Amino acid sequence: MQVFNPQYLGGGHNLKELVFVGLGLNDEKGVSIGGLEEAKSADYVFMELYTSLMPDFNLQRFEDSCGKQVKVVSRHELEEENGTAILRAAKKGKTVFLIPGDPFIATTHITLRIDAEKNGVKTRIVHGASIISAIISLSGLHNYKFGKTVTIPFPENFSATPYEVITQNKRSGLHTLCLLDLKASEKQFLSVNQAVALLIEVEQKKREAVVTLDTPAVGVARAGSKSPMLKADFVKGIIDFDFGEPPHSLIFPGNMHFMETEALIAFAGAPAEFRRLAR
Amino acid sequence: MQVFNPQYLGGGHNLKELVFVGLGLNDEKGVSIGGLEEAKSADYVFMELYTSLMPDFNLQRFEDSCGKQVKVVSRHELEEENGTAILRAAKKGKTVFLIPGDPFIATTHITLRIDAEKNGVKTRIVHGASIISAIISLSGLHNYKFGKTVTIPFPENFSATPYEVITQNKRSGLHTLCLLDLKASEKQFLSVNQAVALLIEVEQKKREAVVTLDTPAVGVARAGSKSPMLKADFVKGIIDFDFGEPPHSLIFPGNMHFMETEALIAFAGAPAEFRRLAR
């Protein structure tokens, strides 16, 4: 007869388990009740804070609320060393890996999850609020009318791709969510103003009237924080608008229902002329 | 000199404020720490549980954890009576309205938010995990490769629209997330099997080879719960597969990167032939 003896199990219950927990948005209170409980009951707790900016996140306060020491892992440890420290921990006991937003928007973490499963480590996910649904929620635009999402890179990596995605979505009447590139650890963030200027440059070459000074757009700053900022206007009213602190993002609406233009007027200070855009 | 006297303010601090709080997924632990704190400090707490299914949600446990009585509002009160009870409360004190997932996927709530702002009631949002990012996260498919999302309605409301959306996305190489219709209060849920059968019927009329028995698909059940079920296969292996309890959803992948086919093999039991689909 096999006797269960917790003494053999070291500090914890020694499940070979890796739980990916979304931190949600903005600060240490963005995590769900269930996600925090996973960290409280873990043997090892890791966290990354580089794939997305959590402007008001305080590590000490988080450690206090979960009662665990948290090991913050760098981009290098995850991408060059393939997260071996996390996998090694997961083979010893219950390991929680905390990730900004919802865990698998960043493809790096998908690789880690595949590696874990291939190594006989069970994985689970506790979801968190994602910046993507937050931006869409804030805007009042209808979720099912968004096409492909695109990231607008820094000028040194810029290409015509974002312009082409916006073009393609508009032809189908769809909205485009543009995430703006960031290097959270280097505190570099593309702004709405820079992003719009980059797209206007492409416009000047292509001349397809996709992003002109008269194109409607919605700039969003600090989605998920206590002070989100939204401004809907034609590009000429956005390009010099001060959105304040990062992170920023940008929406190019496609065809809008009148409830959507009303939402942009009520929530994002759109000019009344936006009513004429509704169909 | 104006003296602040809390006695004038009734029970609470009498902010004219309506805070929309996402409940996240599955149960009463899906809400964020910040979201629960909003409910704890509210004068009035409302909740709706009909726009999405939270399979393991227990109202009594939620009320115990926030220390407030929660008024559950029906579809009728929100859509026919325009949420007047909520607006009336928000004019008297801090009011929190709890909504499954992230608050503004359902357009009803956008209308309520517009009405509140027009009535001089300030609104805020505390985001929650959304079923949409949860399904995408679970699948391991890359978020930025999804096109327009579509809802597959019950047979009595079925049309060719979902088939056309899948067609359009596939032509652009994009994945399609299909949400399956539900009437949570009537406990009616479209299953993956029914949804696939409805699409095959359209295929038999249109014959565009968009959803055939040899089309790759991913069925997802109970995303966000402790027992999510994923099955990736060709449609012939999905159409009779038992996904168990609702809610269900369905993904039709477009062009897949090899990391995406590897993820479907590792997380969703896809057959090894899926490797041949990678490009």
Side-chain angles (χ1 to χ4, degrees):
Chain A
M1 196 181 87
Q2 204 171 350
V3 178
F4 178 79
N5 186 335
Q7 284 191 334
Y8 293 137
L9 299 178
H13 23 64
N14 206 24
L15 283 168
K16 283 186 185 178
E17 187 182 38
L18 176 54
V19 189
F20 294 85
V21 174
L23 283 170
L25 303 169
N26 192 59
D27 62 27
E28 63 281 356
K29 293 181 181 177
V31 70
S32 69
I33 308 286
L36 187 64
E37 286 182 1
E38 295 286 355
K40 281 182 183 175
S41 68
D43 298 304
Y44 307 97
V45 183
F46 295 85
M47 182 184 291
E48 66 89 354
L49 290 168
Y50 74 86
T51 56
S52 200
L53 177 70
M54 298 192 69
D56 299 315
F57 190 88
N58 182 297
L59 184 60
Q60 185 60 57
R61 281 200 302 261
F62 184 86
E63 286 182 326
D64 290 348
S65 69
C66 82
K68 293 275 150 120
Q69 214 184 347
V70 174
K71 167 92 174 73
V72 177
V73 293
S74 65
R75 181 188 291 269
H76 180 85
E77 285 169 285
L78 274 167
E79 294 181 15
E80 308 301 320
E81 297 171 11
N82 305 314
T84 41
I86 297 175
L87 284 180
R88 213 180 300 125
K91 285 184 178 175
K92 290 194 287 179
K94 176 175 173 177
T95 301
V96 163
F97 183 27
L98 298 148
I99 297 161
D102 202 37
F104 291 101
I105 301 307
T107 52
T108 309
H109 305 321
I110 302 179
T111 311
L112 179 62
R113 191 174 165 220
I114 293 175
D115 287 349
E117 293 275 349
K118 281 187 178 164
N119 277 277
V121 173
K122 285 270 156 248
T123 62
R124 281 191 294 126
I125 307 176
V126 179
H127 299 282
S130 155
I131 191 73
I132 290 173
S133 73
I135 296 165
I136 295 173
S137 261
L138 280 169
S139 74
L141 294 171
H142 295 175
N143 177 68
Y144 66 92
K145 287 174 67 185
F146 279 78
K148 182 176 156 73
T149 297
V150 71
T151 296
I152 301 188
F154 288 109
E156 59 270 27
N157 302 316
F158 195 71
S159 74
T161 304
Y163 183 94
E164 287 157 5
V165 171
I166 299 165
T167 307
Q168 193 184 2
N169 283 336
K170 277 203 177 177
R171 281 190 190 141
S172 309
L174 300 175
H175 313 323
T176 308
L177 169 57
C178 304
L179 299 172
L180 307 192
D181 212 355
L182 56 85
K183 292 179 186 158
S185 37
E186 287 94 14
K187 299 207 191 309
Q188 286 179 44
F189 305 93
L190 195 72
S191 70
V192 167
N193 318 90
Q194 290 172 295
V196 167
L198 287 165
L199 291 166
I200 292 275
E201 273 182 44
V202 183
E203 178 65 47
Q204 284 163 350
K205 281 179 209 141
K206 299 219 172 200
R207 301 198 171 279
E208 293 176 17
V210 171
V211 183
T212 72
L213 293 176
D214 298 313
T215 302
V218 189
V220 182
R222 302 175 300 288
S225 80
K226 286 186 179 60
S227 59
M229 155 85 83
L230 273 90
K231 176 65 187 163
D233 204 336
F234 301 99
V235 164
K236 58 181 173 246
I238 297 278
I239 197 163
D240 292 322
F241 189 86
D242 181 5
F243 286 89
E245 294 293 305
H248 292 183
S249 46
L250 185 56
I251 298 169
F252 287 98
N255 298 345
M256 287 188 279
H257 185 266
F258 86 93
M259 283 299 297
E260 294 184 290
T261 52
E262 288 304 310
L264 291 180
I265 291 166
F267 311 150
E273 298 103 284
F274 263 50
R275 291 210 172 92
R276 278 187 288 140
L277 302 172
R279 15 178 131 180
Chain B
M1 197 184 85
Q2 204 173 347
V3 178
F4 177 80
N5 186 333
Q7 284 192 333
Y8 294 138
L9 298 178
H13 24 65
N14 207 24
L15 283 168
K16 284 185 187 179
E17 189 182 37
L18 176 55
V19 189
F20 294 85
V21 174
L23 283 170
L25 303 169
N26 192 57
D27 61 29
E28 63 281 357
K29 293 181 180 176
V31 70
S32 69
I33 308 285
L36 187 63
E37 286 182 0
E38 296 287 355
K40 281 182 182 174
S41 69
D43 298 304
Y44 307 98
V45 183
F46 294 85
M47 182 184 290
E48 67 88 351
L49 291 168
Y50 74 85
T51 57
S52 201
L53 177 70
M54 298 192 70
D56 299 315
F57 190 87
N58 182 297
L59 184 61
Q60 185 60 53
R61 282 199 303 260
F62 185 87
E63 287 182 325
D64 290 347
S65 69
C66 82
K68 295 273 151 122
Q69 215 184 346
V70 175
K71 166 93 173 75
V72 177
V73 292
S74 65
R75 180 189 292 268
H76 181 85
E77 285 167 285
L78 274 168
E79 295 180 15
E80 308 302 319
E81 299 169 11
N82 305 312
T84 43
I86 298 175
L87 285 179
R88 213 180 299 126
K91 286 183 177 174
K92 290 193 286 178
K94 176 175 172 177
T95 301
V96 162
F97 183 26
L98 298 148
I99 296 161
D102 203 37
F104 292 101
I105 300 307
T107 53
T108 309
H109 305 321
I110 302 179
T111 311
L112 178 63
R113 189 173 167 220
I114 294 175
D115 286 350
E117 293 275 348
K118 282 187 178 164
N119 279 278
V121 173
K122 285 271 156 248
T123 62
R124 281 193 294 125
I125 306 176
V126 178
H127 300 282
S130 155
I131 191 74
I132 288 173
S133 73
I135 296 166
I136 294 173
S137 261
L138 281 169
S139 73
L141 295 171
H142 294 173
N143 178 66
Y144 65 92
K145 288 173 66 184
F146 279 78
K148 182 177 157 72
T149 297
V150 72
T151 296
I152 301 190
F154 288 109
E156 58 270 29
N157 302 316
F158 195 71
S159 73
T161 304
Y163 182 93
E164 287 158 5
V165 171
I166 298 164
T167 306
Q168 193 183 4
N169 284 338
K170 277 204 176 176
R171 282 189 189 140
S172 308
L174 300 175
H175 312 322
T176 308
L177 170 57
C178 304
L179 299 172
L180 307 192
D181 212 356
L182 55 85
K183 291 179 186 159
S185 37
E186 287 95 11
K187 301 207 191 309
Q188 285 179 42
F189 305 94
L190 195 71
S191 70
V192 167
N193 318 89
Q194 290 172 296
V196 166
L198 287 166
L199 291 166
I200 292 275
E201 272 182 45
V202 183
E203 177 66 48
Q204 283 164 350
K205 282 178 208 141
K206 298 219 173 202
R207 302 200 170 277
E208 294 176 18
V210 171
V211 183
T212 72
L213 292 176
D214 297 314
T215 301
V218 188
V220 182
R222 300 174 303 285
S225 79
K226 286 185 180 61
S227 59
M229 155 84 82
L230 274 88
K231 176 65 187 164
D233 205 335
F234 301 99
V235 164
K236 58 181 171 244
I238 297 278
I239 198 163
D240 291 321
F241 189 86
D242 181 7
F243 286 87
E245 294 294 305
H248 293 183
S249 46
L250 185 57
I251 298 170
F252 286 98
N255 298 345
M256 286 188 279
H257 185 266
F258 85 92
M259 282 299 295
E260 295 183 289
T261 51
E262 288 305 310
L264 291 180
I265 291 166
F267 310 150
E273 298 103 283
F274 263 50
R275 290 209 172 93
R276 278 187 286 139
L277 302 172
R279 6 176 138 183

